[in-house]
Every structure is written in structure tokens, then in C-alpha cells.
Amino acid sequence: MQVLFRTRHPQAQALRELAERRVRFVLRRLSWLVPRADVQLSDLNGPRGGVDKRCQIELRTDGQGPVVVTSVAQDWRTALDLALARAARFLLRLRNRGAAPRRLPRAAAEASL
């Protein structure tokens, strides 16, 4: 999986390796579905502080189109983790959408007895 990292903020630049490792770790089981991930960190209102660190992750999926997930938090690490959790949940739902149900509904199971 190819991970691209973009930011203009000098403090966020120090998180490049961490962000790449976290993306690969969280999406390791779904890497066959996602050949490329773009991670972008930004500070929404500059040095004023507050809940303003934004992480946007764009996942290029094979056959399903791009998936864009954004989260905002107090610091970049939390924003990154929240966005990755949301992206992983979405990819699992996307993968399971075409899967057959695991069990028969209760009425159908009783009818077969």
C-alpha cells in the first residue's frame, strides 16, 4: 500500500513516519482493497488553539471509488486515530455488503426443522 502524507504545518511534519505506520497498521488486513492512502494534516485556525487539528484521509479503493474520511480533534494524533477508525469501519461495511448472511433468519431456520 502506498501512503502519501501532506501537511504545511512544521509540527505536523514530525508526524510523517508515525502517520504512515499507523495507516499501514490499521489497514493491514484490508490492504488488498486499498492500494493508496492520502493523509493530510492541517491546523484550521492557526496558533489560536482549541479543537482545530484536522486529519483527512482519502483511500483509493479498487472498484469502489475513493473514500474520504475527516476528523477534527485537539491534537493531530487523536485526529489521525479517529479518522483511521472511521475509515476502517467504513471499509469493513463496504467489504461485508456483498457477503452472504452468516445465519438464516429465525423463521426460516424453524421452518426447515
Side-chain angles (χ1 to χ4, degrees):
M1 174 191 324
Q2 181 183 16
V3 179
L4 301 175
F5 182 84
R6 285 185 267 159
T7 187
R8 291 184 177 180
H9 203 279
Q11 291 176 346
Q13 190 66 31
L15 296 173
R16 174 185 294 273
E17 289 180 32
L18 173 73
E20 290 176 3
R21 278 196 326 257
R22 292 292 300 150
V23 169
R24 284 193 173 89
F25 178 77
V26 171
L27 301 177
R28 69 192 179 279
R29 293 185 178 166
L30 299 168
S31 63
W32 59 272
L33 186 62
V34 183
R36 181 174 148 183
D38 295 332
V39 178
Q40 183 176 8
L41 296 177
S42 59
D43 193 354
L44 296 177
N45 64 1
R48 290 184 289 188
V51 180
D52 65 340
K53 307 296 193 261
R54 182 174 71 98
C55 177
Q56 178 176 333
I57 299 175
E58 182 178 351
L59 304 171
R60 305 286 169 96
T61 60
D62 284 338
Q64 302 294 330
V67 174
V68 179
V69 178
T70 303
S71 69
V72 178
Q74 184 74 27
D75 59 297
W76 279 299
R77 173 71 190 256
T78 305
L80 176 66
D81 287 341
L82 290 172
L84 284 172
R86 189 176 292 166
R89 279 193 311 268
F90 182 81
L91 288 174
L92 284 173
R93 274 195 314 250
L94 192 66
R95 185 193 65 154
N96 291 335
R97 196 174 284 167
R102 293 182 183 213
R103 294 192 275 185
L104 291 173
R106 188 173 190 176
E110 290 174 356
S112 66
L113 294 177

